[in-house]
Amino acid sequence: MKMLVVLVLVAGIGVVFYGYSQDWFTAKVKNDGNQTTITGGIDKEKFQKDTDAYLETVQEKLADLQANLDSLKSKAKDAKGDTKEALDKEIAALSERKEKLGDKLSEMKDATAEKWEELKSGFELAFSDLKKGFQDAVSRFK
């Protein structure tokens, strides 16, 4: 039983520290001598404001990637032979990855504060990978 109490206390402290780093969570620890109680909540207004600002920035970045994709498509129209075939394959792969990134963005829009950081990290990794893919493709097909 003591192990369970310690585990709950450690988990609660983790949430408190994580929450304070985000300014979304509030927590109270109460110890009456026999029992330690941890209660917490989420500042939904702060969370919504922060996530909306992030999502707006990300949507602008995705619009930039779409412009890059459109530019590659334009180059593909003028390309010939093997170059056209390779460029078309690259465009298809990048388009698919961009679509999956859009799915991740949709998932983030509905995320709870508890899941936000995990989804955001996954999105940023996928976004960075896609951006590098665009840069590589542009450099190969100049």
Side-chain angles (χ1 to χ4, degrees):
M1 183 64 165
K2 284 185 179 183
M3 183 60 131
L4 179 63
V5 171
V6 169
L7 183 60
V8 169
L9 183 59
V10 168
I13 290 170
V15 168
V16 170
F17 285 127
Y18 173 79
Y20 284 133
S21 72
Q22 297 302 319
D23 293 331
W24 303 330
F25 295 96
T26 58
K28 245 186 215 181
V29 178
K30 180 181 176 186
N31 186 343
D32 66 7
N34 294 328
Q35 183 177 2
T36 300
T37 307
I38 301 172
T39 57
I42 298 169
D43 183 341
K44 291 180 182 179
E45 187 175 311
K46 173 76 171 135
F47 172 73
Q48 195 65 51
K49 182 180 172 187
D50 288 353
T51 57
D52 286 349
Y54 178 81
L55 291 171
E56 185 178 325
T57 300
V58 165
Q59 287 172 330
E60 290 170 6
K61 290 179 179 181
L62 285 176
D64 289 343
L65 286 180
Q66 183 61 50
N68 290 340
L69 185 59
D70 292 343
S71 175
L72 281 177
K73 287 179 182 179
S74 178
K75 287 181 182 185
K77 287 180 185 178
D78 298 334
K80 305 277 188 240
D82 290 342
T83 301
K84 180 168 179 46
E85 187 178 322
L87 193 50
D88 287 342
K89 282 183 180 180
E90 191 78 31
I91 289 169
L94 290 169
S95 294
E96 184 178 331
R97 288 167 56 192
K98 184 181 173 290
E99 188 175 317
K100 287 180 182 179
L101 196 61
D103 293 343
K104 287 184 180 288
L105 182 63
S106 295
E107 191 177 352
M108 288 175 65
K109 288 178 181 177
D110 298 328
T112 63
E114 293 84 1
K115 291 292 281 180
W116 173 258
E117 284 300 318
E118 178 184 336
L119 292 172
K120 181 180 171 189
S121 294
F123 178 87
E124 287 178 350
L125 183 62
F127 180 84
S128 178
D129 184 51
L130 180 59
K131 186 176 177 182
K132 183 175 181 344
F134 272 107
Q135 291 168 342
D136 291 348
V138 168
S139 69
R140 277 195 303 273
F141 298 106
K142 280 189 177 181

